[in-house]
Amino acid sequence: MTNNKERKTDIDRFLTQFFNGRPYQVDVVTGDASFRRYLRVYQGGTSYILMDSDPSKVNNDPFVELNACFSQAGLRVPEILATDMAYGLLLLNDLGSEHLADLLQSPHRLAHYQSILALIPSIATVKNSPHMKPYDGVFIQQEIEIFEQWLLGSWLGYEFDNDKKGLWQLCKRRLVENIQSQPHCTMHRDFHSRNIMRDECGWVLIDYQDAVQGPVTYDVVSLLRDCYFRLPGDEFSLLQNESYHVLTRADLLNGMSYSEYQQCFDLTGLQRHLKAAGIFVRLLLRDNKAGYLNNIIPTLNYVIEVAERYDELQWLATWLVNEIMPLIDNKLNSLK
């Protein structure tokens, strides 16, 4: 791992070489939930984005290879202009700064979501890559256990009693079975309002490097039950129904009925939201990033609402409401 001064030297060398010694300016844009950070570079009236991604912390090969795979499927992703993989530096075209997240109060919100849903069949056709991890039972369960390890254990100091432990194991098994029973295709895996950008040419997908072959409902869940924005109920219902027809027309559901689709959607969301709540805590405890803490309760509210609709999961809703949410409230209040 290099220090800040050494990193600046690496960046200066990389940019000086790309711009053939012409002067440039650099501004910090933002970091994200990973170990990457982004810089905006100005040179000769044009702006660029520099992705600074330390290879001692991040494997950058999936970003490059999957960029090509998504492009070949007709999807718009950042254009990679230059790379220095040894130092984890990638220069990209500048897509601006407008995300779907910035358009959520627009009167055209519903139309935005409808046009984005239409991208999912193309994502599904992205060819498999050696960099796509197998989304198998072990991996699915490991994702759920992020909630158990980080939120319950490391943050709240909570331990299951024997009865709850048995119910929790059954819950995990049910969520794994749900995901494995669905038709599988390529999924973006982080298909939400902060990872979908818009420029003058339309929608662009970012943060695609964790794509895998997984359950057909996953990206729709990510979009419509976004951890960062809650759709009004009537819009959610309309868009969920439309998503079913989009996937059906693309022959991705293997004859699944709408009620079967809704159940797969619900339980896939439950798995994703448990994982996400755990990741938000991991970002705080491991990475010293507190900016996601306010998303924990809205994310777990999705879990509670889904669990209340299924007899086998009633205990989960009750447990979260009566035991876990008060502990989270106390933790959040102590941090203010």
Side-chain angles (χ1 to χ4, degrees):
M1 178 178 176
T2 57
N3 60 38
N4 290 340
K5 185 176 180 180
E6 289 172 336
R7 196 61 177 164
K8 183 179 184 304
T9 300
D10 296 337
I11 290 171
D12 287 343
R13 174 190 48 75
F14 175 67
L15 293 176
T16 297
Q17 181 177 358
F18 181 79
F19 294 125
N20 293 317
R22 296 188 296 273
Y24 56 85
Q25 291 181 306
V26 178
D27 290 334
V28 175
V29 179
T30 180
D32 65 6
S34 73
F35 293 108
R36 299 178 179 88
R37 68 172 183 145
Y38 295 91
L39 309 170
R40 182 166 272 115
V41 182
Y42 300 92
Q43 201 288 318
T46 302
S47 61
Y48 307 81
I49 295 295
L50 178 66
M51 188 172 89
D52 177 7
S53 184
D54 187 341
S56 70
K57 296 180 178 178
V58 180
N59 178 9
N60 294 304
D61 291 338
F63 184 92
V64 174
E65 181 173 322
L66 290 173
N67 181 281
C69 293
F70 273 70
S71 294
Q72 289 163 11
L75 295 156
R76 296 186 64 226
V77 288
E79 182 182 354
I80 300 174
L81 304 173
T83 64
D84 186 331
M85 299 301 281
Y87 287 88
L89 299 171
L90 295 90
L91 193 66
L92 315 173
N93 65 321
D94 189 352
L95 299 167
S97 57
E98 188 173 64
H99 296 71
L100 174 61
D102 302 310
L103 302 168
L104 295 176
Q105 304 309 317
S106 161
H108 307 296
R109 178 174 64 213
L110 198 60
H112 292 330
Y113 273 95
Q114 289 168 325
S115 63
I116 292 166
L117 282 174
L119 300 176
I120 292 181
S122 295
I123 297 172
T125 67
V126 171
K127 69 179 182 181
N128 201 352
S129 157
H131 290 295
M132 291 187 189
K133 297 177 182 177
Y135 206 64
D136 56 19
V138 172
F139 190 42
I140 298 163
Q141 184 160 305
Q142 285 174 345
E143 287 195 327
I144 305 169
E145 288 169 355
I146 294 171
F147 172 80
E148 185 177 354
Q149 176 186 351
W150 289 95
L151 191 148
L152 295 183
S154 299
W155 198 42
L156 300 182
Y158 181 91
E159 292 185 11
F160 289 110
D161 61 30
N162 287 336
D163 289 341
K164 289 284 193 317
K165 192 169 189 177
L167 290 168
W168 177 245
Q169 295 302 325
L170 288 172
C171 174
K172 288 194 290 186
R173 192 174 310 140
R174 179 71 180 93
L175 297 181
V176 171
E177 289 171 355
N178 166 68
I179 285 176
Q180 291 185 316
S181 70
Q182 294 177 50
H184 278 215
C185 58
T186 297
M187 63 189 207
H188 178 286
R189 198 169 161 216
D190 283 309
F191 195 63
H192 55 71
S193 58
R194 297 183 180 182
N195 284 339
I196 302 168
M197 297 187 69
R198 189 177 72 166
D199 65 7
E200 65 276 4
C201 298
W203 301 110
V204 187
L205 306 185
I206 61 173
D207 212 17
Y208 51 79
Q209 64 277 351
D210 293 324
V212 296
Q213 294 272 308
V216 67
T217 60
Y218 197 98
D219 279 348
V220 187
V221 168
S222 302
L223 181 67
L224 302 187
R225 284 196 176 135
D226 191 335
C227 296
Y228 310 112
F229 176 76
R230 187 182 186 92
L231 280 164
D234 58 338
E235 293 182 24
F236 169 79
S237 296
L238 186 153
L239 291 166
Q240 186 185 40
N241 184 273
E242 181 156 341
S243 72
Y244 172 75
H245 291 292
V246 166
L247 297 178
T248 298
R249 287 193 297 269
D251 199 25
L252 292 169
L253 294 181
N254 292 356
M256 192 185 296
S257 70
Y258 187 52
S259 61
E260 291 170 332
Y261 176 75
Q262 287 177 302
Q263 178 169 307
C264 288
F265 182 103
D266 278 348
L267 298 183
T268 300
L270 201 152
Q271 186 267 356
R272 173 173 168 78
H273 292 128
L274 287 170
K275 175 192 75 170
I279 287 174
F280 295 149
V281 172
R282 185 174 71 185
L283 286 165
L284 171 71
L285 299 182
R286 189 190 70 183
D287 305 331
N288 199 30
K289 296 180 179 181
Y292 298 85
L293 288 179
N294 288 336
N295 302 112
I296 294 172
I297 288 178
T299 298
L300 289 179
N301 281 336
Y302 284 135
V303 175
I304 291 166
E305 291 167 20
V306 167
E308 286 175 338
R309 291 201 287 272
Y310 294 88
D311 289 343
E312 64 188 303
L313 296 171
Q314 284 285 334
W315 75 271
L316 180 62
T318 301
W319 170 66
L320 286 171
V321 168
N322 293 335
E323 295 188 47
I324 301 306
M325 297 297 250
L327 294 175
I328 293 173
D329 280 332
N330 289 338
K331 275 287 186 182
L332 293 177
N333 288 332
S334 72
L335 294 172
K336 290 179 180 177

